[in-house]
Amino acid sequence: MTDDNKVYASQFLQFAFMSTVAFKVLMLPKYLAIATGATSWLIMAVMSVIELGYLALLYFISLRGGVYSDALPTAFKKIASVAIIVCCSVKLCVFGGEFCSYVGTSVFDGVNWLYIALALVPCLAYVATRGLNSLGRACQILFWVIAFTVIFNVFFARLEGNAYNLLPFGSLTDAVTGVDKHIVWFADFTPLLLVCSSSAKRQRAMSIFTIILTAVFPTLITIFFLYSYGDGAVFVDNAISRLTDFHLLATIMGKADLFTVVSWLILAVVKLSLIFYALVTSISVLIGKHQVTPFVLSALIILAIVFAMRDVDRYYAFGTSPIRYAVGAIEYLLPVVTGIVVGRKHAKE
Amino acid sequence: MTATTVAVFVYFRLSCAKILYMYIDCKEWTDAISHAFGEDSDMITLQCTVAGKTATVMFLDGFIDKETFENNILRPVKNLDALEYPYLDTIRQATLHTTPIEVLTDSNTGISKLASGEILLIIDGAEGVLMFSEKDYKSRAIAEPPVSSVLRGPREGFVEDIKTNVTMLRRRLATPDLRLVNTQVGKYSGTKICVAYIQGVVEPDLVQKVLNKINSINIDGIIESSYVARFLESKPTSLFNQVGDTEKPDILTAKMLEGRIAVFVDGSPAVLTLPYVLYESFQASEDYYVKSYRASLIRWARLFAMLCAVILPAIHVALAQFQYQTIPFKLLLPIATSSYSLPLTPALEMLFVLLVFEVLSETSIRMPKHMGMALSVVGAIVLGQTAVTAGLLSTQTVFVIAVSTIGVYCVPDESNSASVLRIVFVALAGVLGLLGIVLATIALLVYLSSMDSFGTAYLAPFAPLVTHDLQDGFIKAEVVQIKTRPYTIPTSNRVRMKMKNDKKVDTGNQNQAHGEQSDD
């Protein structure tokens, strides 16, 4: 394993934040609203807390070299790589489709997904080849854009809604069904298994702040979404973008979502880059490192997004198909298994 | 001991004395050097006698202080009555000189020294060829560099002569810890290079790495310091500099005190500094001579200017061509009105104007000064006003490009990269709109993040974030508050300043300098 996956603790947390937030604040609030109604914000909160626990486990693993550490058995690494390949392939197709859908409708006015994929995927491949330490450093700068956007939107926010839109809670069965159906959109930390990070001794305040933000941000967005749109949430795509309709500046200027759009694009590209990196690295673990791997993978991803996913209904159908159980199992079990293997290895030493 | 024995002993000693020294054949040396320089050269050869022995003086015309050489060296030497071995001691006592006399025994070295402007005195039968250094050639006067003007602060700038430049540095670093390592590079140019650093401040490994890289240069000639810079960079084909440069001794001194190494190149006023981080382009010497509030404001202005320079034209193209729904309605109306009947798309229009401005800026550097007025008229009135009136360009485009061009030269160290980047961003925005700008920005940031300069992360102290170094960041602290050297630059002594009643200064983690896995 090369050294390109070594990051600082603060960069690890930024990956976690950007991974978690990107695709939980776009279409997922609508999907959960359709499946579970007003309970969706509670589901988001509970899942965020669970993911926070997984974040701690992943940090433990990253401190010990990650899932592809030289200290771990080769057989385990190969099995893990197969699991990661399956999981990341599905996620890349689903989230790639969601990205193209958003860009094709909100950023552009009806653009063929082929052009969007042709622009997006080479960028992902380039970022992946540079390694996680370069991406981590870039995220430390990009984070300021996102922070500015959040502050800007909060400063000019105009809360128009009804708190009763957040109630009543549905049945537990509905909640479980909602989570079950959309499991692909949760548990975003698989690529972080590959990260190797250092322990954080300073910037404790910043780390705590990032952790809280990671846990709270998707839930807050869902709350504001339901608060503002109520029962109409089932018809509203792109939650993060639509929330800017309730902007003070929107009444003056017509639209004030430029910063939000740019910020979400940054989050999405970082998230997809992490998945692409995990995919390329896992393939390298299986078949060895080859220069052509990113190129071949890029071509396959473009073909998958453009021809297999093709539209909103297709990628949603794929994401909610039975393959989601495999993804869910890998997402939630692989970190636990890896943690046990890593822990036992280090206990022996 | 008999008289015969004594006589034999004395004779033997005298013979040995002759054997211990290599005899110089004056004619042989003179022929060898003349052959090396050829018939068509500016070398001057003077034949004379020294204490009855045939001698030749050789030097290059225009290189030496003839008066000093004649009065202090040549005349006393020619007035010698006798010469005894070793000739050097006799001549050293007879002459006045401020630089040591060297004795050369190898003709190739002699040729090389002669080509560098030294004087050779070849005395027949001497133990070696004597080399004197009495250089006095004309060089440019010290003046303020054109791209480093200040309202407050020193106005001296480096010149093309390496000795003058090193002397200017010496005046500011009056310490025996200033080390100067001299070397020569270039088969035909024989360019002198001097690597300067402060012992006890700079990281020793760094010095060795730099020296190794310079000594490994094998080229026919070094014309300017940028040649050496390309050899020192890890990615010489990159758009971005990985080696800094400055033409001002005060800036150089400040950088060396932070732990950097300076590389002087003879023939170039630009002195190289390394390691180099991108943020150095946003720092100016004046920031340290004015109050920190003003310095902070100006640094934010430079950042804003650079962002405008690179991204503003692309954003204009993206919004005007694709994402016009994000433009406020009141602004959208005049944009739509002015661009309605234009023959070109916003992207092509912007690229055309960018190209014209590049031609204009290049012409303004190259043209004769007395043509300046005419070109200003052409540029401002013809291109600007007339093109808009004729419906070839929109007013917004000309305005955006003007703001962008001003921004490019607000950070002169990055003007080259900014002018190229803005063209790339405009082209991408013309094809992919806002998506293209975002993707290009991320790719560019990742590219810059992957670069380093002698182990120091290129985007430090922002990526990786080194909070200690932010005291000299976009919110600048006062000089009295900056007590330690930046963690970004490797150094063997972190403490810069101690004041009375100071508690022990926290030097932090020494390894944090290069953004390695130490902590922040």
Side-chain angles (χ1 to χ4, degrees), chain A residues 165-237:
Chain A
N165 291 337
L166 301 174
L167 296 169
F169 294 139
S171 66
L172 185 62
T173 314
D174 286 344
V176 171
T177 307
V179 172
D180 164 57
K181 195 172 181 187
H182 302 99
I183 195 70
V184 169
W185 278 265
F186 292 106
D188 296 306
F189 297 139
T190 306
L192 298 183
L193 279 169
L194 281 72
V195 172
C196 174
S197 66
S198 67
S199 59
K201 286 187 184 156
R202 296 182 190 180
Q203 282 197 335
R204 193 158 286 166
M206 190 72 163
S207 304
I208 293 171
F209 174 73
T210 311
I211 291 168
I212 292 172
L213 201 64
T214 305
V216 161
F217 197 84
T219 309
L220 280 177
I221 293 294
T222 311
I223 288 174
F224 286 127
F225 183 64
L226 288 173
Y227 176 84
S228 305
Y229 287 100
D231 291 336
V234 299
F235 302 110
V236 179
D237 296 338

Side-chain angles (χ1 to χ4, degrees), chain B residues 383-401:
Chain B
L383 287 177
Q385 184 63 35
T386 314
V388 170
T389 311
L392 296 172
L393 302 173
S394 68
T395 322
Q396 288 82 10
T397 303
V398 175
F399 171 76
V400 165
I401 286 295

Side-chain angles (χ1 to χ4, degrees), chain B residues 368-391:
Chain B
K369 287 185 173 50
H370 47 269
M371 297 286 290
M373 182 66 80
L375 199 68
S376 301
V377 171
V378 168
I381 298 177
V382 173
L383 287 177
Q385 184 63 35
T386 314
V388 170
T389 311

Side-chain angles (χ1 to χ4, degrees), chain B residues 486-500:
Chain B
Y487 288 3
T488 308
I489 306 297
T491 175
S492 52
N493 176 13
R494 194 63 68 188
V495 178
R496 283 194 84 154
M497 177 168 62
K498 286 179 183 169
M499 294 176 81
K500 281 184 186 174

Side-chain angles (χ1 to χ4, degrees), chain B residues 418-471:
Chain B
S419 60
V420 173
L421 277 177
R422 63 179 180 169
I423 295 174
V424 172
F425 270 77
V426 165
L428 284 171
V431 175
L432 297 168
L434 207 57
L435 177 67
I437 296 173
V438 171
L439 292 177
T441 305
I442 293 173
L444 177 65
L445 278 173
V446 168
Y447 174 72
L448 291 173
S449 299
S450 68
M451 283 169 60
D452 70 87
S453 173
F454 285 86
T456 300
Y458 194 64
L459 291 182
F462 302 104
L465 185 63
V466 182
T467 48
H468 169 273
D469 290 359
L470 294 181
Q471 62 185 347

Side-chain angles (χ1 to χ4, degrees), chain A residues 5-16 59 62-63 132-134 136-137 140 192 195-203 207, chain B residues 455 457 460-466 487-488 509 511-520:
Chain A
N5 65 335
K6 289 191 175 159
V7 300
Y8 288 121
S10 55
Q11 293 166 349
F12 175 88
L13 288 173
Q14 298 217 337
F15 284 155
Y59 185 57
S62 73
L63 283 176
L132 289 181
N133 51 12
S134 301
R137 290 176 184 178
Q140 286 187 301
L192 298 183
V195 172
C196 174
S197 66
S198 67
S199 59
K201 286 187 184 156
R202 296 182 190 180
Q203 282 197 335
S207 304
Chain B
F462 302 104
L465 185 63
V466 182
Y487 288 3
T488 308
N509 191 328
N511 292 330
Q512 202 167 8
H514 334 297
E516 288 173 353
Q517 288 295 308
S518 55
D519 218 311
D520 196 33

